[in-house]
Amino acid sequence: TNLVDSIKTVIANEINDSNKVKSLLELSKQYFDTNPQEAIRIATEAKDLGRRIGYQKGAAYGLKNIGIVYYYQGNYAEAIEIWKKSQSVFDSLGDKLGSANILSNLGAIYYNIGDYNNALDHYLRSLKISEELKDTIRTVTVLLNIGAVYSDKLATQDKALEYSKKALALSEIIGYQEAI
């Protein structure tokens, strides 16, 4: 596509710096659905370049992108392993936004495999950070995910409603139609 070609042109002309890592990360995203192996190859290149030039945040996002491909493929064990490495880098950098994102992603895997305790643990940790950062969209998303976990059991459907109502209230405040 034109976007892929544009990104490739930018990458070819960039020096090995954080901008090139960001471009590689963007290019890897373009292949998530169409060519997973290429997405992994490019994300790995971004991760490796990030490490080589001391841009650890880029390396963490490279790991995140690799994990996304595994997640889309249903290869949850690999995704968990990769995302834990990514979270470790985000944590070491004090990058709370990156950490909250990975915690939420891990929660999604645990939810998908029916490990509700681990899902809730990760979602609640992500929620705490998201609220601390005042990241309303991530907060809404995590509240909805927590509500989904609680809605799967009759005994906790009241909690599901509680979290869903919180998500709705925040969504209405910011006009987040998709969540509403």
Side-chain angles (χ1 to χ4, degrees):
T1 68
N2 287 340
L3 180 57
V4 168
D5 291 340
S6 298
I7 298 170
K8 285 181 177 179
T9 301
V10 167
I11 290 169
N13 294 313
E14 285 180 323
I15 59 170
N16 287 341
D17 65 3
S18 61
N19 288 327
K20 185 168 189 172
V21 174
K22 291 173 188 174
S23 295
L24 287 165
L25 292 168
E26 186 54 42
L27 182 60
S28 75
K29 290 178 186 179
Q30 300 304 312
Y31 288 106
F32 283 168
D33 296 325
T34 59
N35 190 340
Q37 286 315 112
E38 185 67 359
I40 289 173
R41 185 191 69 72
I42 295 166
T44 300
E45 187 179 338
K47 169 189 63 97
D48 292 345
L49 177 58
R51 284 186 175 151
R52 218 169 34 253
I53 65 171
Y55 180 49
Q56 295 305 316
K57 184 174 181 174
Y61 276 106
L63 288 164
K64 176 189 172 198
N65 283 8
I66 294 166
I68 289 171
V69 174
Y70 288 136
Y71 177 79
Y72 285 173
Q73 293 176 329
N75 188 345
Y76 296 147
E78 283 291 322
I80 288 169
E81 183 181 327
I82 293 291
W83 279 343
K84 284 184 176 181
K85 289 177 183 174
S86 177
Q87 184 187 4
S88 176
V89 177
F90 283 127
D91 287 346
S92 75
L93 296 171
D95 185 328
K96 291 183 176 192
L97 182 64
S99 185
N101 180 251
I102 296 296
L103 286 166
S104 185
N105 290 355
L106 286 164
I109 288 180
Y110 289 119
Y111 177 73
N112 288 344
I113 63 175
D115 185 345
Y116 294 157
N117 288 337
N118 253 329
L120 279 174
D121 175 60
H122 285 81
Y123 284 146
L124 289 168
R125 288 166 52 201
S126 178
L127 177 63
K128 183 176 189 277
I129 296 168
S130 300
E131 288 176 334
E132 189 179 299
L133 294 174
K134 297 185 182 355
D135 184 338
T136 309
I137 290 179
R138 179 159 316 284
T139 299
V140 166
T141 302
V142 177
L143 286 168
L144 289 171
N145 290 338
I146 293 168
V149 174
Y150 282 134
S151 73
D152 281 356
K153 292 184 181 169
L154 194 57
T156 56
Q157 287 186 344
D158 57 330
K159 283 189 173 209
L161 188 58
E162 174 190 331
Y163 280 91
S164 297
K165 282 181 179 179
K166 286 180 186 176
L168 177 60
L170 281 176
S171 298
E172 289 174 340
I173 290 169
I174 63 168
Y176 186 19
Q177 294 302 314
E178 186 180 333
I180 294 170

